[in-house]
Structures are given as structure tokens and as C-alpha cells.
Amino acid sequence: GAGVSQSPSNKVTEKGKDVELRCDPISGHTALYWYRQSLGQGLEFLIYFQGNSAPDKSGLPSDRFSAERTGGSVSTLTIQRTQQEDSAVYLCASSPGLNNEQFFGPGTRLTVL
Amino acid sequence: DQQVKQNSPSLSVQEGRISILNCDYTNSMFDYFLWYKKYPAEGPTFLISISSIKDKNEDGRFTVFLNKSAKHLSLHIVPSQPGDSAVYFCAARLVGGSQGNLIFGKGTKLSVKP
């Protein structure tokens, strides 16, 4: 079956604009995670969704960041009023449950000019 | 405050020799450790993992060793192949899985030279 997919693969935007990044997890996976990797850094946890539970938003860096997961499947990460420091690769992962191996998508490279 | 540290940003090894990638952690509440491999322009892919109740896990050419007293784990690749050239991330998870996210190190770029 298909792996985790993300779109767009690349996004260039101007400072102050809003962006939406999409993640399609592996079918049947109940857990979905967003991470970001800034240049020279490791993967930084942003948010995760598990089933119908309230998402864990503890990693979101500011209130400009939000995410939703519709119907327990597709997720959208929204960054409002983008700043240059938001430039990074945004990675989505899914897993069958919280305690399982996470499968990553190819990421979206966001560049804020 | 980095809880998972990979102090070597890069490592170069000759094909056929052993590659040893190191990882240190500070939080004694981590109960599960994973290694991911990442090629450019791709997402990380799971390589191997180890539970905190074990000290070694082996899968083909890949072996992970865990030293809980030293809060240290290492990934051994024997023999190394040019296709192993990638960035390797160490990751850890907290006890009980109540926090589902993984905590990653900054990665070590491995170059295996023919």
C-alpha cells in the first residue's frame, strides 16, 4: 500500500502570508504526528493526533501554528503570518498506535522569504 | 536543553569496515530507543529499535547497543556499504508511551567510501 504522502513538496511564500501543509497518513493508522527540521537541527516535535483524543499540541512553537485532522485521516498544518524562522522541512508521520514505529512522509520544504 | 544528543555531526568510513554511530541521552524516563535513516529529499525511515529492558538488538548488518547506566546507545553497521551513506537519527520515547512523540537527536551524516 501507499506510504505517508505530503503536499506540496516545496512551498515558497512571502513573510506574513499564511500557508497550509497537507499530510495523508497510511490508511488505518490512528496516530499522526507533525515534526519540523530546521537547517542543521534534529526533528522537532510539533503536534500529534491519536484517534479521537484531543491532540497533544505541546510542541507547537507559537499560536501562529495550528493543525487539524479531519475524519481521523488527512491532516493539515497551518502556519499563519509566516516568519523567516518558520523556514524548515515539515515532516508528517503516522503509526498504527502511539507505541508503534512511526512512518514518515517525504516532507514539505517551506521557504519564507 | 537537548535530551538526545548525537555529538558527531559526521562520520566517514571505508566500505567493508564497521560504522559506529553514538547517541547519548539525559532523561532516565526514556523506555524505547530507535534509529532512523534519512536520505536527502526523503523522510526518515525506521532502521532498528531497542527497549530499555534489553542491552542489544541485532538485525542483519545492524546492531544497537544500549548502556542504561551510561545513558548511551550506539548503532553498529557491519560491514558498511556505500548505500548506507545517509543521515542517521537517534530517537527516544518516554515511559508508558503516554507521550506519543519521539525526541530526536540532530543526526550524524555517515559517508561510506568505496
Side-chain angles (χ1 to χ4, degrees):
Chain A
V4 177
S5 61
Q6 292 185 245
S7 61
S9 54
N10 279 284
K11 176 72 176 178
V12 180
T13 190
E14 292 180 350
K15 177 182 172 180
K17 302 276 183 149
D18 298 351
V19 295
E20 284 190 354
L21 313 179
R22 177 187 167 106
C23 172
D24 282 86
I26 293 173
S27 178
H29 281 192
T30 59
L32 185 149
Y33 314 80
W34 283 98
Y35 296 85
R36 74 174 175 182
Q37 185 181 15
S38 302
L39 191 64
Q41 301 297 313
L43 280 72
E44 174 191 5
F45 164 69
L46 297 177
I47 185 172
Y48 79 80
F49 300 85
Q50 168 57 22
N52 296 320
S53 302
D56 180 340
K57 305 179 182 180
S58 60
L60 294 179
S62 79
D63 58 8
R64 296 186 294 104
F65 288 71
S66 63
E68 61 178 27
R69 188 178 185 192
T70 53
S73 181
V74 172
S75 177
T76 302
L77 176 70
T78 301
I79 309 173
Q80 296 179 310
R81 305 180 303 282
T82 51
Q83 303 295 311
Q84 288 183 331
E85 61 262 28
D86 299 334
S87 297
V89 176
Y90 288 80
L91 290 154
C92 175
S94 71
S95 65
L98 270 187
N99 296 324
N100 301 100
E101 167 199 339
Q102 297 179 17
F103 295 81
F104 282 83
T108 293
R109 179 175 295 278
L110 175 66
T111 302
V112 182
L113 301 177
Chain B
D1 179 25
Q2 248 189 302
Q3 298 188 68
V4 177
K5 300 177 185 178
Q6 293 178 258
N7 292 320
S8 297
S10 63
L11 175 67
S12 184
V13 171
Q14 204 68 32
E15 180 180 6
R17 308 294 281 267
I18 184 171
S19 295
I20 300 176
L21 298 121
N22 293 304
C23 178
D24 296 290
Y25 61 95
T26 58
N27 193 333
S28 59
M29 298 299 284
F30 289 141
D31 70 339
Y32 200 70
F33 302 90
L34 307 89
W35 284 93
Y36 279 81
K37 175 179 176 180
K38 185 181 185 301
Y39 293 118
E42 296 182 11
T45 55
F46 171 75
L47 194 55
I48 192 169
S49 63
I50 188 166
S51 165
S52 61
I53 62 173
K54 295 188 175 181
D55 55 18
K56 178 182 175 181
N57 188 25
E58 191 172 350
D59 183 2
R61 296 186 297 112
F62 303 90
T63 303
V64 56
F65 296 92
L66 175 62
N67 182 334
K68 284 184 66 178
S69 60
K71 294 192 179 68
H72 176 84
L73 66 155
S74 61
L75 174 68
H76 292 211
I77 307 173
V78 183
S80 302
Q81 299 173 354
D84 297 329
S85 298
V87 177
Y88 289 78
F89 290 97
C90 172
R93 193 189 66 201
L94 288 170
V95 168
S98 59
Q99 183 171 343
N101 60 288
L102 297 174
I103 299 170
F104 285 85
K106 291 188 177 183
T108 296
K109 183 176 182 179
L110 174 66
S111 299
V112 180
K113 303 200 181 301

